[in-house]
Amino acid sequence: SAVISQKPSRDICQRGTSLTIQCQVDSQVTMMFWYRQQPGQSLTLIATANQGSEATYESGFVIDKFPISRPNLTFSTLTVSNMSPEDSSIYLCSVEQGVSSGNTIYFGEGSWLTVV
Amino acid sequence: AQKITQTQPGMFVQEKEAVTLDCTYDTSDPSYGLFWYKQPSSGEMIFLIYQGSYDQQNATEGRYSLNFQKARKSANLVISASQLGDSAMYFCAMREASGGSNYKLTFGKGTLLTVNP
């Protein structure tokens, strides 16, 4: 299975600042995904990041708030911009191994952000 | 309508006993995949088991098995011989093959499992 490392694992952020979360995978993957999990809630997809193209955002998420980079096949970053307490969440990076629909989706350890 | 429904907000089980966590889903897509993940208090999402809509047999992975009833659109997770370390939140998720987000996972609200000694 893919090994996915996220940094930071936890952070406390000041309101109005921005934070960039890094996701590193130990193998090349075509698609990387960023999810958000608000406190006590389930996971919601923010965007899908393909190498060499702009990320595709889900309804309710915009590039200005959550800019994403995907410079190569093993790395991606998610920035949470101009943070407010409502952005306090776990942010998770995930990848799919393989290209067929029967393959597995793995997640990183998550990045816990608390905005104060 | 919710695509993934987990009706049990919380479940309790005695150590060494088996437990079933319920999951029903809603899709009109003939090709889809169903996933179960475990999320301990540390926050990481741990992949447990996968079932494809065309798979003829129920998926099994060690102590985890998936009771897949396609006609009922249910994909219940069975954990055998529960261990204290199984205490965690469990999420059922589905990926549909068609649509704009081919690889998007839709999650249920989760079930918090507590294993008692």
Side-chain angles (χ1 to χ4, degrees):
Chain A
S1 63
V3 176
I4 307 168
S5 302
Q6 282 187 236
K7 291 181 181 179
S9 56
R10 289 178 182 266
D11 208 338
I12 299 174
C13 309
Q14 295 296 317
R15 188 190 304 241
T17 63
S18 300
L19 182 81
T20 296
I21 302 167
Q22 299 179 3
C23 178
Q24 179 75 53
V25 189
D26 68 342
S27 58
Q28 293 185 342
V29 292
T30 303
M31 303 178 79
M32 297 178 76
F33 310 88
W34 287 99
Y35 285 82
R36 180 177 73 179
Q37 186 180 24
Q38 294 177 301
Q41 302 297 314
S42 187
L43 279 74
T44 301
L45 180 66
I46 298 172
T48 303
N50 289 342
Q51 194 267 336
S53 63
E54 286 196 4
T56 302
Y57 289 82
E58 296 296 304
S59 175
F61 297 97
V62 294
I63 187 171
D64 290 346
K65 177 67 175 177
F66 298 102
I68 288 171
S69 78
R70 182 77 201 276
N72 57 52
L73 291 173
T74 63
F75 187 78
S76 178
T77 66
L78 169 75
T79 299
V80 185
S81 303
N82 188 25
M83 286 185 284
S84 66
E86 291 71 32
D87 294 319
S88 297
S89 299
I90 304 175
Y91 292 86
L92 295 117
C93 168
S94 76
V95 303
E96 180 177 14
Q97 275 200 315
V99 295
S100 73
S101 62
N103 289 316
T104 303
I105 299 176
Y106 295 99
F107 285 81
E109 314 101 320
S111 298
W112 289 69
L113 300 189
T114 302
V115 184
V116 298
Chain B
Q2 290 187 31
K3 291 211 170 194
I4 296 287
T5 303
Q6 295 180 253
T7 58
Q8 307 151 315
M11 286 284 286
F12 293 89
V13 65
Q14 287 297 124
E15 194 178 7
K16 300 181 184 178
E17 293 185 350
V19 63
T20 298
L21 306 183
D22 295 342
C23 173
T24 57
Y25 58 92
D26 182 24
T27 181
S28 57
D29 196 328
S31 179
Y32 54 89
L34 297 157
F35 300 76
W36 277 93
Y37 291 90
K38 171 185 178 182
Q39 187 177 44
S41 57
S42 58
E44 61 184 312
M45 291 289 286
I46 303 169
F47 166 75
L48 297 178
I49 198 166
Y50 167 82
Q51 180 86 42
S53 59
Y54 294 120
D55 293 344
Q56 295 296 313
Q57 294 188 335
N58 287 346
T60 60
E61 290 284 351
R63 293 188 298 112
Y64 304 107
S65 61
L66 203 152
N67 184 3
F68 182 46
Q69 298 189 39
K70 195 170 182 177
R72 294 186 176 185
K73 293 188 175 178
S74 75
N76 299 338
L77 177 70
V78 180
I79 305 175
S80 62
S82 297
Q83 302 172 356
L84 296 178
D86 293 335
S87 294
M89 183 71 81
Y90 288 79
F91 289 97
C92 179
M94 177 175 66
R95 178 179 56 195
E96 297 162 288
S98 61
S101 298
N102 285 352
Y103 300 97
K104 173 182 176 180
L105 279 179
T106 303
F107 284 82
K109 294 184 181 299
T111 296
L112 181 61
L113 177 67
T114 302
V115 180
N116 294 318

